[in-house]
Amino acid sequence: MSTVPSPAPASVAPHDRARPLAKGSLKPAKDLCSDCGLCDSRWVAYVRRACAFLEQRFEAMEERAHGRSRRLDDEDELYFGVHQRMVTARLRQPIEGAQWTGIVSRIGVRALETGLVDAVLCVQQSPDDRFTPVPVLARTPEQVLAARVNKPTLSPNLEVLEQLPGSGIERLLAIGVGCQIQALRAVQATLPLQKLYVLGLPCVDNVSRQGLQTFLESASRSPETVVHYEFMQDFRIHFRHSDGHQETVPFFGLDTPALKDVFAPSCLSCFDYTNAGADLVVGYMGATFGRQWVTVRNPLGQELLDLVEPELDLAPVTSTGDRRQAVQQGIDAYEKALKLPMWLAELVGVFVQRFGPKGLEYGRFSIDSHFTRNALWLQRHHPEKVEAHIPAFARKIVARYRLPKP
Ligand code: FAD
Ligand code: SF4
């Protein structure tokens, strides 16, 4: 009697055996979890090396994505990461309801229309709540446009990776913030994709949905009608309300003591403000008022920008002013948890707006302010993580300032 040999078992990848963690369960990064969504997919199998809050691997990520890591002795790369081009831009025909002029949504739309990709990973909003994020794999331009405007809350973007197997999607454009992109890059080689494009947003000071409520109630006169807000280059927060009216509040008038605990611990320990792993980054803080700031990190990023470049009013980046004294004063004021009376906050705001940093120097002001605050927060709350968690570029920046004792 002959026996038929059983076929050799096909090799099974770790993610084929893994299951998403149950929603609401404690995640591996514990209190530092940014809810990036990786653990809500089978790619949780790689969480130990992928999670931005368990281990920071900037050099390796930059080398994989761009072919080299940033040059620390080049001031622009030190601050803004690997890049081959930096410009400011606005869509000549802005998209109604977008966060700025809608360059990000337009790139998503064009990527689908031209067949560059089969789907766009982006974030729509819950029908019940404008600020509750709903990540999707958009297959049509309408679905991409429905994701326009920031949901300024932690968003589990990577949970939709779970939908990739069997979806027919082979080429994907992923839009996301730094922590989501770090995890995505770490698992990229294991995804069932032929091509991945990454369009990044700079990100800082994100909050949980509950934290957002506290922030809105503290900062706006009418928190329940806010539909859009941004921390602008004129050192004011601009709130847009559902009836269309604008409210602006000077940064220096914020109730710092009440807001110290509002930001998510993940964001207080993050140094990926400018989204180091993305192919193309579209923000605003390195541009002058009303324009967007575009950083092309590699040829894939330029391919994405090519999709919309004929529709853009482009200009070179500029940089004026000197941020350093303002950053040091901000560190000292934050430490004392000072709350200025509104008349004084308005006065300081007018002065800083007139004589303060602009363009790339404003971007450096914001990076310095957040890196110094976050380094101190880590030293105080997670001293065991300081060594592994603060990347070389952030150390070099933080060392330029006088920090209070941890
Ligand atoms: P739109 O065309 O309106 O598209 C917005 C895109 O953002 C959509 O595709 C959507 O999928 C995506 N998105 C929305 N919410 C989230 C989310 N929570 N997580 C991941 N993706 C999301 N730029 C700076 O220069 N400095 C900053 O400090 C800064 N902070 C930011 C903080 C957050 C939480 C976010 C989401 C963005 C931040 N940005 C920052 C980027 C900036 O506000 C704009 O999003 C960017 O300039 C694109 O504008 P747009 O009009 O082209 O975008
Ligand atoms: Fe998982 Fe993302 Fe949270 Fe890290 S940040 S524990 S990868 S969900």
Side-chain angles (χ1 to χ4, degrees):
M1 197 175 84
S2 69
T3 51
V4 180
S6 51
S11 75
V12 179
H15 60 269
D16 290 329
R17 292 192 302 264
R19 293 242 188 108
L21 297 187
K23 276 273 179 199
S25 60
L26 185 67
K27 302 280 168 51
K30 303 194 180 101
D31 60 315
L32 292 184
C33 172
S34 71
D35 202 14
C36 78
L38 187 82
C39 294
D40 304 314
S41 79
R42 66 192 71 175
W43 279 271
V44 64
Y46 307 102
V47 65
R48 291 273 149 218
R49 65 176 166 86
C51 175
F53 304 100
L54 291 175
E55 200 171 344
Q56 303 278 307
R57 294 169 186 253
F58 279 94
E59 285 83 2
M61 176 179 69
E62 288 176 336
E63 266 161 34
R64 268 200 315 271
H66 318 308
R68 65 177 178 87
S69 63
R70 72 182 74 190
R71 288 187 283 263
L72 298 184
D73 53 359
D74 174 323
E75 274 295 293
D76 279 349
E77 291 226 341
L78 176 72
Y79 273 83
F80 308 125
V82 175
H83 60 277
Q84 60 183 51
R85 189 179 176 204
M86 226 185 331
V87 287
T88 73
R90 41 179 293 116
L91 264 181
R92 276 196 225 97
Q93 287 191 319
I95 295 177
E96 169 93 30
Q99 183 69 17
W100 283 79
T101 70
I103 294 175
V104 167
S105 297
R106 187 68 190 142
I107 290 174
V109 166
R110 293 293 297 145
L112 284 175
E113 283 176 352
T114 57
L116 185 74
V117 298
D118 307 312
V120 178
L121 195 172
C122 52
V123 188
Q124 297 180 349
Q125 63 201 45
S126 151
D128 307 324
D129 175 30
R130 144 81 185 90
F131 292 118
T132 297
V134 179
V136 295
L137 291 173
R139 306 291 289 254
T140 65
E142 292 71 31
Q143 289 167 346
V144 173
L145 286 173
R148 70 194 184 282
V149 78
N150 292 358
K151 287 79 204 176
T153 44
L154 302 175
S155 174
N157 277 27
L158 300 185
E159 70 182 16
V160 299
L161 296 182
E162 193 52 26
Q163 298 167 24
L164 280 180
S167 67
I169 296 169
E170 294 181 340
R171 287 161 301 144
L172 178 70
L173 167 61
I175 300 172
V177 297
C179 55
Q180 299 158 359
I181 300 310
Q182 283 187 52
L184 181 67
R185 285 298 196 196
V187 303
Q188 176 173 352
T190 68
L191 296 173
L193 292 174
Q194 284 175 8
K195 191 94 185 184
L196 175 69
Y197 292 88
V198 178
L199 174 41
L201 308 168
C203 180
V204 80
D205 288 353
N206 213 342
V207 287
S208 65
R209 181 61 186 89
Q210 200 184 354
L212 178 68
Q213 204 56 34
T214 310
F215 167 73
L216 293 176
E217 282 167 18
S218 159
S220 168
R221 277 194 301 275
S222 173
E224 66 288 349
T225 59
V226 173
V227 288
H228 176 290
Y229 74 85
E230 190 72 272
F231 286 74
M232 296 282 202
Q233 300 101 323
D234 61 356
F235 294 84
R236 301 179 77 85
I237 308 165
H238 291 220
F239 293 102
R240 198 188 307 145
H241 291 270
S242 47
D243 64 0
H245 90 272
Q246 288 259 8
E247 175 192 11
T248 76
V249 177
F251 291 180
F252 309 101
L254 285 178
D255 187 351
T256 311
L259 293 177
K260 264 195 157 174
D261 295 327
V262 150
F263 303 122
S266 52
C267 306
L268 290 167
S269 67
C270 172
F271 297 89
D272 197 12
Y273 195 168
T274 58
N275 213 321
D279 299 316
L280 177 73
V281 184
V282 181
Y284 66 90
M285 66 178 177
T288 46
F289 196 80
R291 300 182 66 81
Q292 292 187 258
W293 170 48
V294 181
T295 307
V296 181
R297 299 208 184 284
N298 61 33
L300 291 183
Q302 184 58 49
E303 243 186 276
L304 290 175
L305 189 57
D306 285 344
L307 294 170
V308 299
E309 205 159 328
E311 302 174 42
L312 296 177
D313 155 23
L314 283 173
V317 281
T318 56
S319 186
T320 54
D322 185 343
R323 73 200 180 276
R324 287 170 297 184
Q325 209 183 344
V327 174
Q328 188 63 58
Q329 281 165 357
I331 295 170
D332 301 337
Y334 186 80
E335 182 66 7
K336 292 183 191 128
L338 290 180
K339 179 176 187 246
L340 299 185
M342 198 46 88
W343 66 268
L344 186 55
E346 291 283 2
L347 205 67
V348 176
V350 169
F351 181 82
V352 177
Q353 190 187 342
R354 185 115 187 250
F355 303 104
K358 295 195 177 57
L360 289 182
E361 186 68 358
Y362 178 87
R364 290 187 203 98
F365 164 82
S366 196
I367 290 170
D368 286 354
S369 305
H370 287 96
F371 280 12
T372 48
R373 182 201 64 185
N374 287 10
L376 196 58
W377 189 90
L378 256 189
Q379 284 165 10
R380 286 180 176 163
H381 294 86
H382 283 282
E384 78 289 357
K385 288 199 180 280
V386 167
E387 203 46 44
H389 221 74
I390 308 183
F393 61 86
R395 277 174 202 277
K396 188 164 177 186
I397 290 171
V398 171
R400 294 175 172 177
Y401 295 95
R402 194 170 14 85
L403 257 56
K405 287 208 167 54

